[in-house]
Amino acid sequence: MSVEENWLRLSDWCQREAPITAAAIDPPAGKSAVDEIERLTGIKWPTELRTWFGLQNGNPDGRHSALIFPDFQPLSLDRVASVWASMTETWAETTAAVGGLSLLDEPAGEVSETYLSAYIPIAFNIRGDLLFVAAVRSLVFRTIYSVAQM
């Protein structure tokens, strides 16, 4: 199933069975907003990630009722930008010390021991854990779980 098919299935279910959750998710982000945040990251996003934000724009005010991933709430594009910038800056020294962006050439599933700027945050939980999509040329769509604090 495509991202769109899965989202529509989840969204329809939430509308029927969990209307508070459905109401906590913002409407889609416009193409120009997605373009702007993609440009900020300096990484070409996978089509699936662009589609994701074209279907919804997360939970901008962090209401706990938007747990559409197990225990995680989707980030709005504004939060994607701020979390990405903060993580990139915070982890810059460590990333450089362990090999920098050359770590992206490692096979999928390898532990990088740092945050890489190609990791695009998409969701968070109340403990500060994040879900990421790795936007790298060798992978189409890889979701990564990180325990990095926001």
Side-chain angles (χ1 to χ4, degrees):
M1 278 187 146
S2 70
V3 172
E4 186 171 33
E5 290 167 324
N6 279 308
W7 173 252
L8 292 175
R9 192 172 61 123
L10 177 61
S11 180
D12 288 347
W13 183 88
C14 286
Q15 296 288 338
R16 283 190 321 275
E17 306 294 333
I20 293 172
T21 298
I25 305 298
D26 265 13
K31 181 185 178 315
S32 63
V34 175
D35 291 345
E36 178 184 341
I37 305 305
E38 180 183 43
R39 206 171 17 260
L40 169 81
T41 66
I43 308 247
K44 180 167 175 36
W45 287 8
T47 302
E48 294 89 346
L49 183 56
R50 294 181 60 81
T51 299
W52 170 247
F53 285 106
L55 295 168
Q56 56 76 47
N57 191 20
N59 177 16
D61 62 5
R63 293 177 301 236
H64 187 65
S65 56
L67 297 172
I68 61 166
F69 298 114
D71 200 32
F72 285 84
Q73 303 174 57
L75 290 167
S76 66
L77 275 174
D78 287 344
R79 292 281 292 142
V80 167
S82 64
V83 169
W84 178 87
S86 174
M87 295 292 288
T88 300
E89 181 181 333
T90 300
W91 286 89
E93 190 174 310
T94 302
T95 300
V98 296
L101 292 180
S102 68
L103 294 170
L104 294 173
D105 296 328
E106 297 292 323
E110 291 294 315
V111 176
S112 63
E113 303 293 339
T114 189
Y115 175 81
L116 300 173
S117 61
Y119 297 165
I120 309 301
I122 62 165
F124 71 103
N125 67 20
I126 60 172
R127 293 180 306 277
D129 301 330
L130 296 162
L131 290 177
F132 298 97
V133 168
V136 295
R137 59 195 172 280
S138 61
L139 303 170
V140 176
F141 194 72
R142 176 175 69 159
T143 302
I144 296 174
Y145 173 78
S146 173
V147 292
Q149 295 296 310
M150 293 189 341

